[in-house]
Amino acid sequence: MLGNEQQGFATRAIHHGYDPLDYHGALNPPVFLTSTYAFDTTDTGSGRFTGEEQGYIYSRVGNPTASVLEARLAALEEGEAGLATSSGMGALTAVIWTLVKAGDEIVADKTLYGCTFALLHHQLERFGVTTRFVDMTDAGNVAVALGPETRLVVTETPSNPNMRVVDIAAVAEVCRRHDVLFVVDNTYCTPYLQRPLTLGADIVVHSATKYLGGHGDLLAGAVVSRRELINQFRSVGIKEMNGACISALDSFLVLRGLKTLQLRMDRHCATAEKLAHDLEAHPAIERVFYPGLPDHPQHALAKRQMKAFGGMIAMELKGGLGAGRAFMDATSLVTRAVSLGDAETLVQHPASMTHSTYSAEERNRHGFTDGLIRLSVGLEDYEDIRRDVMTALDRARQQAVSN
Ligand code: 7XF
């Protein structure tokens, strides 16, 4: 990591990359609401375009408020440089479109957020880029799937929605041996719980819409990697391809969210872990998917790889889809909504919502059921969350018994 390595995570999340004394003592970074930047001479302008001169050109390529966020995210992920984007999908497409060409292959884990799956499986195929999906909970499967045309390996861990955990160090080692870049979507964990670059990954992507922003009031994304790659993602992926630059206002809001990231994550994790145990004991539940539970298949790996087990829980009710839908309709405090990482506890049904980009056959092949329900555990009082969830489970069970 560059600079400030002696400072702790919370300190970096609050301070890194900004000195108030540079801006009239303003405690918070100014929001630079400007699309373009004046050049003092023609030479300055053309020099900035060739890269001989440092400085801003146009806010699609860089903005001073976004720069503070980018430096801060790089410091938190322990990477050389960062790029902030308008959404998580903007971050993913900036990375992938910069690095692949027709004829290339990608190897990806078999469970990914629905639109990441759709991008890899449905959209990139139209441009001659094919993806092989493998079960990355066994790193050996990655080695088998890699071919001469493979450019990228892509995973999320824990995976959205079913909480499988991938061994980042083991997959990174396979990628390194084959000279293939390894991309990890760290949205579920945030750099507070897991830092993929320190485990050997090459590129980290985020949906900053989630825990990093933390308040359900913005869309944003981010990439952290080596400076050379970040420069390419900015000048090709964002500048010439997807145009998914972050706005100064959203940069400010993510910076504001980061100040409490550690506090919020500690609370999300503590509440989710307690709730996962309580859910397991409820008679309406068939199975709870949470890496903090001792019977989770990758519990030992999660303990090693993550600082805590995160705020996301997936579960399958007895009675499958019907019971799951009855449960969702019976909650009152818990809000029916997609997205995650907000202060509010959210519940959603992946098969018909976030992962409806998979066909029923694909959901089956990729390993998640139509009955799966996903909870994003919020920051409300534990007892209030527990009571609402347990009452809704009781109601779903009564309905299943009476049908
Ligand atoms: O473009 P976005 O900021 O919405 O981020 C896309 C994205 C990327 N990676 C992961 C692991 C994600 O979960 C997401 C967005 N997921 C939301 C969800 O699962 O609820 C999207 C709501 S449809």
Side-chain angles (χ1 to χ4, degrees), residues 58-62 70 83-98 221-223 229-246:
Y58 186 62
S59 282
R60 175 156 31 82
V61 194
E70 288 165 346
L83 172 67
T85 62
S86 61
S87 68
M89 289 311 295
L92 273 158
T93 52
V95 168
I96 292 171
W97 293 354
T98 301
V223 189
L229 284 171
I230 290 292
N231 289 345
Q232 286 179 39
F233 301 148
R234 187 188 301 281
S235 61
V236 180
I238 299 284
K239 182 175 163 226
E240 297 177 355
M241 297 188 86
N242 69 10
C245 52
I246 194 168

Side-chain angles (χ1 to χ4, degrees), residues 97 102 118-130:
W97 293 354
L119 167 69
L120 296 176
H121 183 55
H122 298 298
Q123 307 309 335
L124 286 179
E125 290 216 341
R126 296 189 292 128
F127 300 93
V129 177
T130 46

Side-chain angles (χ1 to χ4, degrees), residues 65-334:
T65 316
S67 298
V68 179
L69 174 61
E70 288 165 346
R72 198 160 293 180
L73 289 171
L76 296 179
E77 284 287 3
E78 300 189 40
E80 275 182 15
L83 172 67
T85 62
S86 61
S87 68
M89 289 311 295
L92 273 158
T93 52
V95 168
I96 292 171
W97 293 354
T98 301
L99 295 174
V100 298
K101 60 178 188 324
D104 286 348
E105 283 180 7
I106 295 172
V107 171
D109 184 40
K110 70 175 190 177
T111 358
L112 296 164
Y113 161 57
C115 289
T116 309
F117 170 74
L119 167 69
L120 296 176
H121 183 55
H122 298 298
Q123 307 309 335
L124 286 179
E125 290 216 341
R126 296 189 292 128
F127 300 93
V129 177
T130 46
T131 301
R132 289 187 204 191
F133 294 95
V134 300
D135 181 354
M136 271 191 214
T137 57
D138 179 351
N141 293 335
V142 179
V144 172
L146 292 175
E149 311 307 331
T150 311
R151 294 284 161 267
L152 289 177
V153 170
V154 178
T155 198
E156 292 169 4
T157 179
S159 60
N160 184 356
N162 52 5
M163 307 302 293
R164 294 157 57 260
V165 178
V166 172
D167 187 334
I168 297 173
V171 175
E173 176 56 24
V174 173
C175 293
R176 201 192 50 74
R177 267 192 273 125
H178 291 82
D179 203 18
V180 172
L181 291 171
F182 182 26
V183 183
V184 177
D185 184 326
N186 203 25
T187 299
Y188 262 39
C189 277
T190 83
Y192 179 55
L193 300 186
Q194 165 177 290
R195 287 188 280 283
L197 300 177
T198 66
L199 299 170
D202 298 286
I203 299 161
V204 166
V205 296
H206 279 282
S207 168
T209 313
K210 315 291 159 49
Y211 293 106
L212 300 181
H215 296 79
D217 52 6
L218 61 90
L219 271 103
V223 189
V224 179
S225 185
R226 299 191 282 278
R227 188 170 304 281
E228 177 207 347
L229 284 171
I230 290 292
N231 289 345
Q232 286 179 39
F233 301 148
R234 187 188 301 281
S235 61
V236 180
I238 299 284
K239 182 175 163 226
E240 297 177 355
M241 297 188 86
N242 69 10
C245 52
I246 194 168
S247 76
L249 206 51
D250 286 327
S251 301
F252 175 86
L253 289 172
V254 178
L255 282 164
R256 184 166 72 170
L258 287 179
K259 293 187 192 192
T260 56
L261 178 63
Q262 175 164 346
L263 285 172
R264 289 185 287 105
M265 290 312 289
D266 281 340
R267 175 69 172 250
H268 284 299
C269 293
T271 305
E273 193 170 347
K274 261 198 276 183
L275 188 64
H277 283 280
D278 285 353
L279 283 169
E280 263 201 323
H282 195 284
I285 295 281
E286 180 73 41
R287 187 156 170 214
V288 179
F289 300 83
Y290 186 70
L293 294 173
D295 62 356
H296 185 283
Q298 294 94 35
H299 176 62
L301 167 64
K303 253 174 127 166
R304 203 165 68 231
Q305 182 165 277
M306 301 161 68
K307 184 183 172 68
F309 302 108
M312 300 298 295
I313 299 175
M315 60 189 183
E316 179 87 30
L317 272 64
K318 288 177 186 154
L321 179 59
R325 293 180 72 97
F327 163 74
M328 282 183 58
D329 279 329
T331 64
S332 66
L333 174 71
V334 174

